[in-house]
Amino acid sequence: MSSCTYAFQYHIEVGQAMAELWCRNLAEGTDCYLPRDAWTPLRTPGAHAALEQQLASVVREGSVRRATRFTTLFLREWLARAALARDTAAALGGAWWGSGPAA
């Protein structure tokens, strides 16, 4: 991450428990925008088991642990940069996102 980073996207809120829920919801056809009687579960034989096996595989090989560590480090760095930008703006007499006089 640098001062030139334009965009960065991933599901920061997803941990192992939510990933398990998402796999189950996908297999069962859960759709929060449709009534329950309109949900369409996966019909491919073994699809649910394959999803569970894939998730178990990435947990075993460490992807979930590494993603959690990445998120922790990313947020610490991001917050440190935001604090530095705020402090720099204050030291220069500038506004910080509407908290001071307009430039």
mmCIF file of all heavy atoms in Angstrom, residues 60-99:
data_model
loop_
_atom_site.group_PDB
_atom_site.id
_atom_site.type_symbol
_atom_site.label_atom_id
_atom_site.label_comp_id
_atom_site.label_asym_id
_atom_site.label_seq_id
_atom_site.Cartn_x
_atom_site.Cartn_y
_atom_site.Cartn_z
ATOM 1 N N ARG A 60 -6.760 -25.849 5.879
ATOM 2 C CA ARG A 60 -5.600 -26.694 6.215
ATOM 3 C C ARG A 60 -4.299 -26.119 5.693
ATOM 4 O O ARG A 60 -3.280 -26.130 6.377
ATOM 5 C CB ARG A 60 -5.775 -28.105 5.640
ATOM 6 C CG ARG A 60 -6.460 -29.075 6.538
ATOM 7 C CD ARG A 60 -6.338 -30.515 6.047
ATOM 8 N NE ARG A 60 -6.609 -30.683 4.635
ATOM 9 C CZ ARG A 60 -7.819 -30.831 4.085
ATOM 10 N NH1 ARG A 60 -8.881 -30.816 4.856
ATOM 11 N NH2 ARG A 60 -7.969 -30.995 2.787
ATOM 12 N N GLU A 61 -4.319 -25.620 4.457
ATOM 13 C CA GLU A 61 -3.059 -25.144 3.874
ATOM 14 C C GLU A 61 -2.683 -23.742 4.330
ATOM 15 O O GLU A 61 -1.626 -23.248 4.016
ATOM 16 C CB GLU A 61 -3.077 -25.256 2.347
ATOM 17 C CG GLU A 61 -4.093 -24.422 1.617
ATOM 18 C CD GLU A 61 -3.655 -22.980 1.373
ATOM 19 O OE1 GLU A 61 -2.455 -22.705 1.309
ATOM 20 O OE2 GLU A 61 -4.536 -22.139 1.269
ATOM 21 N N GLY A 62 -3.531 -23.085 5.114
ATOM 22 C CA GLY A 62 -3.152 -21.833 5.751
ATOM 23 C C GLY A 62 -3.686 -20.560 5.131
ATOM 24 O O GLY A 62 -3.374 -19.470 5.605
ATOM 25 N N SER A 63 -4.492 -20.649 4.078
ATOM 26 C CA SER A 63 -4.996 -19.432 3.435
ATOM 27 C C SER A 63 -5.812 -18.568 4.384
ATOM 28 O O SER A 63 -5.690 -17.333 4.373
ATOM 29 C CB SER A 63 -5.842 -19.775 2.210
ATOM 30 O OG SER A 63 -5.036 -20.262 1.179
ATOM 31 N N VAL A 64 -6.644 -19.181 5.196
ATOM 32 C CA VAL A 64 -7.489 -18.414 6.113
ATOM 33 C C VAL A 64 -6.620 -17.723 7.161
ATOM 34 O O VAL A 64 -6.793 -16.534 7.452
ATOM 35 C CB VAL A 64 -8.561 -19.310 6.772
ATOM 36 C CG1 VAL A 64 -9.317 -18.566 7.853
ATOM 37 C CG2 VAL A 64 -9.512 -19.840 5.709
ATOM 38 N N ARG A 65 -5.652 -18.435 7.689
ATOM 39 C CA ARG A 65 -4.744 -17.846 8.686
ATOM 40 C C ARG A 65 -3.964 -16.687 8.079
ATOM 41 O O ARG A 65 -3.842 -15.617 8.693
ATOM 42 C CB ARG A 65 -3.782 -18.925 9.204
ATOM 43 C CG ARG A 65 -2.778 -18.427 10.228
ATOM 44 C CD ARG A 65 -1.780 -19.519 10.630
ATOM 45 N NE ARG A 65 -1.243 -20.278 9.508
ATOM 46 C CZ ARG A 65 -0.298 -19.833 8.662
ATOM 47 N NH1 ARG A 65 0.195 -18.633 8.809
ATOM 48 N NH2 ARG A 65 0.139 -20.602 7.686
ATOM 49 N N ARG A 66 -3.456 -16.863 6.864
ATOM 50 C CA ARG A 66 -2.699 -15.793 6.201
ATOM 51 C C ARG A 66 -3.588 -14.595 5.884
ATOM 52 O O ARG A 66 -3.170 -13.445 6.015
ATOM 53 C CB ARG A 66 -2.021 -16.313 4.937
ATOM 54 C CG ARG A 66 -0.834 -17.223 5.239
ATOM 55 C CD ARG A 66 -0.009 -17.524 4.007
ATOM 56 N NE ARG A 66 -0.755 -18.063 2.891
ATOM 57 C CZ ARG A 66 -1.066 -19.342 2.722
ATOM 58 N NH1 ARG A 66 -0.694 -20.228 3.623
ATOM 59 N NH2 ARG A 66 -1.748 -19.737 1.671
ATOM 60 N N ALA A 67 -4.819 -14.837 5.468
ATOM 61 C CA ALA A 67 -5.744 -13.740 5.165
ATOM 62 C C ALA A 67 -6.061 -12.944 6.430
ATOM 63 O O ALA A 67 -6.148 -11.713 6.387
ATOM 64 C CB ALA A 67 -7.015 -14.286 4.531
ATOM 65 N N THR A 68 -6.220 -13.630 7.545
ATOM 66 C CA THR A 68 -6.486 -12.953 8.816
ATOM 67 C C THR A 68 -5.290 -12.087 9.208
ATOM 68 O O THR A 68 -5.451 -10.929 9.618
ATOM 69 C CB THR A 68 -6.790 -13.980 9.921
ATOM 70 O OG1 THR A 68 -7.948 -14.729 9.539
ATOM 71 C CG2 THR A 68 -7.031 -13.316 11.264
ATOM 72 N N ARG A 69 -4.107 -12.626 9.052
ATOM 73 C CA ARG A 69 -2.886 -11.865 9.374
ATOM 74 C C ARG A 69 -2.750 -10.660 8.443
ATOM 75 O O ARG A 69 -2.430 -9.554 8.881
ATOM 76 C CB ARG A 69 -1.657 -12.775 9.269
ATOM 77 C CG ARG A 69 -0.368 -12.105 9.616
ATOM 78 C CD ARG A 69 -0.272 -11.854 11.103
ATOM 79 N NE ARG A 69 1.002 -11.238 11.388
ATOM 80 C CZ ARG A 69 1.181 -10.288 12.278
ATOM 81 N NH1 ARG A 69 0.176 -9.871 13.000
ATOM 82 N NH2 ARG A 69 2.356 -9.768 12.474
ATOM 83 N N PHE A 70 -2.996 -10.872 7.155
ATOM 84 C CA PHE A 70 -2.928 -9.780 6.180
ATOM 85 C C PHE A 70 -3.890 -8.658 6.567
ATOM 86 O O PHE A 70 -3.529 -7.476 6.555
ATOM 87 C CB PHE A 70 -3.259 -10.300 4.778
ATOM 88 C CG PHE A 70 -3.422 -9.204 3.776
ATOM 89 C CD1 PHE A 70 -2.320 -8.635 3.166
ATOM 90 C CD2 PHE A 70 -4.676 -8.733 3.451
ATOM 91 C CE1 PHE A 70 -2.463 -7.607 2.244
ATOM 92 C CE2 PHE A 70 -4.838 -7.705 2.537
ATOM 93 C CZ PHE A 70 -3.723 -7.143 1.935
ATOM 94 N N THR A 71 -5.120 -9.021 6.923
ATOM 95 C CA THR A 71 -6.119 -8.025 7.283
ATOM 96 C C THR A 71 -5.668 -7.222 8.494
ATOM 97 O O THR A 71 -5.784 -5.992 8.515
ATOM 98 C CB THR A 71 -7.476 -8.701 7.565
ATOM 99 O OG1 THR A 71 -7.907 -9.359 6.376
ATOM 100 C CG2 THR A 71 -8.519 -7.702 8.000
ATOM 101 N N THR A 72 -5.134 -7.889 9.495
ATOM 102 C CA THR A 72 -4.657 -7.208 10.698
ATOM 103 C C THR A 72 -3.555 -6.213 10.356
ATOM 104 O O THR A 72 -3.594 -5.050 10.767
ATOM 105 C CB THR A 72 -4.146 -8.232 11.722
ATOM 106 O OG1 THR A 72 -5.221 -9.114 12.066
ATOM 107 C CG2 THR A 72 -3.613 -7.567 12.972
ATOM 108 N N LEU A 73 -2.568 -6.652 9.587
ATOM 109 C CA LEU A 73 -1.458 -5.766 9.218
ATOM 110 C C LEU A 73 -1.918 -4.628 8.324
ATOM 111 O O LEU A 73 -1.495 -3.476 8.490
ATOM 112 C CB LEU A 73 -0.353 -6.568 8.534
ATOM 113 C CG LEU A 73 0.347 -7.605 9.409
ATOM 114 C CD1 LEU A 73 1.310 -8.446 8.589
ATOM 115 C CD2 LEU A 73 1.061 -6.927 10.576
ATOM 116 N N PHE A 74 -2.791 -4.931 7.378
ATOM 117 C CA PHE A 74 -3.308 -3.903 6.476
ATOM 118 C C PHE A 74 -4.028 -2.809 7.256
ATOM 119 O O PHE A 74 -3.796 -1.614 7.053
ATOM 120 C CB PHE A 74 -4.243 -4.535 5.439
ATOM 121 C CG PHE A 74 -4.980 -3.522 4.617
ATOM 122 C CD1 PHE A 74 -4.335 -2.843 3.593
ATOM 123 C CD2 PHE A 74 -6.307 -3.234 4.874
ATOM 124 C CE1 PHE A 74 -4.999 -1.889 2.842
ATOM 125 C CE2 PHE A 74 -6.984 -2.285 4.125
ATOM 126 C CZ PHE A 74 -6.322 -1.609 3.108
ATOM 127 N N LEU A 75 -4.923 -3.202 8.149
ATOM 128 C CA LEU A 75 -5.683 -2.209 8.907
ATOM 129 C C LEU A 75 -4.798 -1.368 9.810
ATOM 130 O O LEU A 75 -4.990 -0.151 9.929
ATOM 131 C CB LEU A 75 -6.780 -2.882 9.723
ATOM 132 C CG LEU A 75 -7.985 -3.330 8.914
ATOM 133 C CD1 LEU A 75 -8.970 -4.088 9.783
ATOM 134 C CD2 LEU A 75 -8.668 -2.141 8.261
ATOM 135 N N ARG A 76 -3.814 -1.990 10.439
ATOM 136 C CA ARG A 76 -2.889 -1.214 11.277
ATOM 137 C C ARG A 76 -2.159 -0.160 10.452
ATOM 138 O O ARG A 76 -2.043 0.994 10.870
ATOM 139 C CB ARG A 76 -1.887 -2.145 11.961
ATOM 140 C CG ARG A 76 -2.473 -2.899 13.113
ATOM 141 C CD ARG A 76 -1.438 -3.756 13.789
ATOM 142 N NE ARG A 76 -2.054 -4.550 14.824
ATOM 143 C CZ ARG A 76 -1.536 -5.663 15.304
ATOM 144 N NH1 ARG A 76 -0.380 -6.105 14.865
ATOM 145 N NH2 ARG A 76 -2.169 -6.330 16.242
ATOM 146 N N GLU A 77 -1.666 -0.562 9.292
ATOM 147 C CA GLU A 77 -0.936 0.373 8.420
ATOM 148 C C GLU A 77 -1.868 1.466 7.903
ATOM 149 O O GLU A 77 -1.503 2.645 7.868
ATOM 150 C CB GLU A 77 -0.305 -0.387 7.261
ATOM 151 C CG GLU A 77 0.427 0.499 6.272
ATOM 152 C CD GLU A 77 1.665 1.187 6.827
ATOM 153 O OE1 GLU A 77 2.179 0.766 7.881
ATOM 154 O OE2 GLU A 77 2.118 2.173 6.203
ATOM 155 N N TRP A 78 -3.052 1.097 7.494
ATOM 156 C CA TRP A 78 -4.021 2.058 6.961
ATOM 157 C C TRP A 78 -4.383 3.094 8.025
ATOM 158 O O TRP A 78 -4.421 4.296 7.760
ATOM 159 C CB TRP A 78 -5.240 1.286 6.484
ATOM 160 C CG TRP A 78 -6.286 2.091 5.776
ATOM 161 C CD1 TRP A 78 -6.105 3.130 4.920
ATOM 162 C CD2 TRP A 78 -7.696 1.901 5.869
ATOM 163 N NE1 TRP A 78 -7.313 3.584 4.456
ATOM 164 C CE2 TRP A 78 -8.306 2.847 5.033
ATOM 165 C CE3 TRP A 78 -8.493 0.999 6.565
ATOM 166 C CZ2 TRP A 78 -9.682 2.928 4.876
ATOM 167 C CZ3 TRP A 78 -9.859 1.083 6.414
ATOM 168 C CH2 TRP A 78 -10.444 2.037 5.577
ATOM 169 N N LEU A 79 -4.655 2.635 9.237
ATOM 170 C CA LEU A 79 -4.999 3.556 10.321
ATOM 171 C C LEU A 79 -3.817 4.449 10.695
ATOM 172 O O LEU A 79 -3.997 5.639 11.002
ATOM 173 C CB LEU A 79 -5.517 2.784 11.529
ATOM 174 C CG LEU A 79 -6.875 2.108 11.325
ATOM 175 C CD1 LEU A 79 -7.198 1.204 12.501
ATOM 176 C CD2 LEU A 79 -7.970 3.132 11.100
ATOM 177 N N ALA A 80 -2.618 3.908 10.662
ATOM 178 C CA ALA A 80 -1.432 4.716 10.948
ATOM 179 C C ALA A 80 -1.261 5.808 9.895
ATOM 180 O O ALA A 80 -0.935 6.956 10.215
ATOM 181 C CB ALA A 80 -0.189 3.830 11.007
ATOM 182 N N ARG A 81 -1.487 5.464 8.634
ATOM 183 C CA ARG A 81 -1.384 6.469 7.569
ATOM 184 C C ARG A 81 -2.468 7.531 7.697
ATOM 185 O O ARG A 81 -2.225 8.711 7.453
ATOM 186 C CB ARG A 81 -1.458 5.804 6.198
ATOM 187 C CG ARG A 81 -0.193 5.066 5.836
ATOM 188 C CD ARG A 81 -0.351 4.311 4.519
ATOM 189 N NE ARG A 81 0.845 3.571 4.226
ATOM 190 C CZ ARG A 81 1.795 4.003 3.397
ATOM 191 N NH1 ARG A 81 1.667 5.164 2.800
ATOM 192 N NH2 ARG A 81 2.857 3.271 3.182
ATOM 193 N N ALA A 82 -3.669 7.124 8.067
ATOM 194 C CA ALA A 82 -4.748 8.098 8.257
ATOM 195 C C ALA A 82 -4.412 9.044 9.400
ATOM 196 O O ALA A 82 -4.618 10.261 9.298
ATOM 197 C CB ALA A 82 -6.067 7.376 8.528
ATOM 198 N N ALA A 83 -3.876 8.513 10.496
ATOM 199 C CA ALA A 83 -3.502 9.358 11.630
ATOM 200 C C ALA A 83 -2.390 10.322 11.236
ATOM 201 O O ALA A 83 -2.419 11.506 11.612
ATOM 202 C CB ALA A 83 -3.064 8.481 12.805
ATOM 203 N N LEU A 84 -1.423 9.856 10.463
ATOM 204 C CA LEU A 84 -0.345 10.718 10.003
ATOM 205 C C LEU A 84 -0.876 11.833 9.102
ATOM 206 O O LEU A 84 -0.498 13.003 9.250
ATOM 207 C CB LEU A 84 0.720 9.904 9.256
ATOM 208 C CG LEU A 84 1.884 10.717 8.679
ATOM 209 C CD1 LEU A 84 2.656 11.423 9.788
ATOM 210 C CD2 LEU A 84 2.802 9.806 7.873
ATOM 211 N N ALA A 85 -1.777 11.497 8.194
ATOM 212 C CA ALA A 85 -2.360 12.505 7.313
ATOM 213 C C ALA A 85 -3.144 13.539 8.123
ATOM 214 O O ALA A 85 -3.056 14.748 7.867
ATOM 215 C CB ALA A 85 -3.263 11.840 6.279
ATOM 216 N N ARG A 86 -3.904 13.080 9.115
ATOM 217 C CA ARG A 86 -4.664 13.985 9.975
ATOM 218 C C ARG A 86 -3.731 14.917 10.737
ATOM 219 O O ARG A 86 -3.924 16.134 10.765
ATOM 220 C CB ARG A 86 -5.501 13.171 10.963
ATOM 221 C CG ARG A 86 -6.310 14.022 11.938
ATOM 222 C CD ARG A 86 -6.702 13.259 13.196
ATOM 223 N NE ARG A 86 -5.505 12.771 13.864
ATOM 224 C CZ ARG A 86 -5.436 11.593 14.484
ATOM 225 N NH1 ARG A 86 -6.466 10.782 14.527
ATOM 226 N NH2 ARG A 86 -4.325 11.215 15.082
ATOM 227 N N ASP A 87 -2.690 14.348 11.327
ATOM 228 C CA ASP A 87 -1.752 15.144 12.120
ATOM 229 C C ASP A 87 -0.978 16.127 11.248
ATOM 230 O O ASP A 87 -0.728 17.265 11.658
ATOM 231 C CB ASP A 87 -0.796 14.229 12.879
ATOM 232 C CG ASP A 87 -1.510 13.381 13.922
ATOM 233 O OD1 ASP A 87 -2.693 13.674 14.245
ATOM 234 O OD2 ASP A 87 -0.899 12.401 14.393
ATOM 235 N N THR A 88 -0.621 15.707 10.049
ATOM 236 C CA THR A 88 0.091 16.587 9.120
ATOM 237 C C THR A 88 -0.796 17.749 8.707
ATOM 238 O O THR A 88 -0.367 18.904 8.698
ATOM 239 C CB THR A 88 0.559 15.798 7.879
ATOM 240 O OG1 THR A 88 1.427 14.753 8.307
ATOM 241 C CG2 THR A 88 1.276 16.695 6.889
ATOM 242 N N ALA A 89 -2.059 17.451 8.394
ATOM 243 C CA ALA A 89 -2.988 18.513 8.016
ATOM 244 C C ALA A 89 -3.186 19.491 9.168
ATOM 245 O O ALA A 89 -3.205 20.709 8.963
ATOM 246 C CB ALA A 89 -4.323 17.912 7.590
ATOM 247 N N ALA A 90 -3.303 18.973 10.386
ATOM 248 C CA ALA A 90 -3.487 19.841 11.550
ATOM 249 C C ALA A 90 -2.261 20.721 11.776
ATOM 250 O O ALA A 90 -2.388 21.909 12.076
ATOM 251 C CB ALA A 90 -3.782 18.999 12.787
ATOM 252 N N ALA A 91 -1.073 20.130 11.617
ATOM 253 C CA ALA A 91 0.161 20.891 11.819
ATOM 254 C C ALA A 91 0.311 22.002 10.782
ATOM 255 O O ALA A 91 0.897 23.046 11.057
ATOM 256 C CB ALA A 91 1.366 19.952 11.763
ATOM 257 N N LEU A 92 -0.232 21.790 9.607
ATOM 258 C CA LEU A 92 -0.160 22.785 8.536
ATOM 259 C C LEU A 92 -1.335 23.744 8.553
ATOM 260 O O LEU A 92 -1.470 24.591 7.681
ATOM 261 C CB LEU A 92 -0.065 22.084 7.181
ATOM 262 C CG LEU A 92 1.188 21.222 6.959
ATOM 263 C CD1 LEU A 92 1.087 20.459 5.652
ATOM 264 C CD2 LEU A 92 2.439 22.088 7.002
ATOM 265 N N GLY A 93 -2.236 23.570 9.529
ATOM 266 C CA GLY A 93 -3.384 24.453 9.657
ATOM 267 C C GLY A 93 -4.522 24.127 8.718
ATOM 268 O O GLY A 93 -5.437 24.919 8.544
ATOM 269 N N GLY A 94 -4.481 22.962 8.110
ATOM 270 C CA GLY A 94 -5.526 22.580 7.164
ATOM 271 C C GLY A 94 -6.656 21.822 7.819
ATOM 272 O O GLY A 94 -6.576 21.371 8.956
ATOM 273 N N ALA A 95 -7.736 21.709 7.094
ATOM 274 C CA ALA A 95 -8.907 20.979 7.578
ATOM 275 C C ALA A 95 -8.696 19.486 7.387
ATOM 276 O O ALA A 95 -7.954 19.063 6.503
ATOM 277 C CB ALA A 95 -10.144 21.429 6.813
ATOM 278 N N TRP A 96 -9.331 18.726 8.208
ATOM 279 C CA TRP A 96 -9.287 17.269 8.089
ATOM 280 C C TRP A 96 -10.704 16.774 7.856
ATOM 281 O O TRP A 96 -11.501 16.671 8.775
ATOM 282 C CB TRP A 96 -8.707 16.654 9.337
ATOM 283 C CG TRP A 96 -8.715 15.155 9.321
ATOM 284 C CD1 TRP A 96 -9.493 14.349 10.086
ATOM 285 C CD2 TRP A 96 -7.943 14.294 8.496
ATOM 286 N NE1 TRP A 96 -9.258 13.043 9.798
ATOM 287 C CE2 TRP A 96 -8.307 12.976 8.821
ATOM 288 C CE3 TRP A 96 -7.002 14.494 7.516
ATOM 289 C CZ2 TRP A 96 -7.742 11.867 8.207
ATOM 290 C CZ3 TRP A 96 -6.437 13.391 6.892
ATOM 291 C CH2 TRP A 96 -6.811 12.093 7.244
ATOM 292 N N TRP A 97 -11.063 16.522 6.619
ATOM 293 C CA TRP A 97 -12.359 15.981 6.238
ATOM 294 C C TRP A 97 -13.506 16.697 6.918
ATOM 295 O O TRP A 97 -14.339 16.107 7.599
ATOM 296 C CB TRP A 97 -12.423 14.493 6.499
ATOM 297 C CG TRP A 97 -11.590 13.695 5.588
ATOM 298 C CD1 TRP A 97 -10.984 14.106 4.436
ATOM 299 C CD2 TRP A 97 -11.249 12.317 5.713
ATOM 300 N NE1 TRP A 97 -10.287 13.108 3.856
ATOM 301 C CE2 TRP A 97 -10.429 11.977 4.625
ATOM 302 C CE3 TRP A 97 -11.551 11.352 6.639
ATOM 303 C CZ2 TRP A 97 -9.918 10.705 4.429
ATOM 304 C CZ3 TRP A 97 -11.037 10.089 6.456
ATOM 305 C CH2 TRP A 97 -10.230 9.785 5.354
ATOM 306 N N GLY A 98 -13.522 18.005 6.770
ATOM 307 C CA GLY A 98 -14.637 18.786 7.275
ATOM 308 C C GLY A 98 -14.564 19.101 8.755
ATOM 309 O O GLY A 98 -15.490 19.678 9.304
ATOM 310 N N SER A 99 -13.471 18.750 9.402
ATOM 311 C CA SER A 99 -13.397 18.992 10.841
ATOM 312 C C SER A 99 -12.851 20.381 11.172
ATOM 313 O O SER A 99 -12.795 20.756 12.320
ATOM 314 C CB SER A 99 -12.514 17.918 11.506
ATOM 315 O OG SER A 99 -11.192 18.011 11.001
#
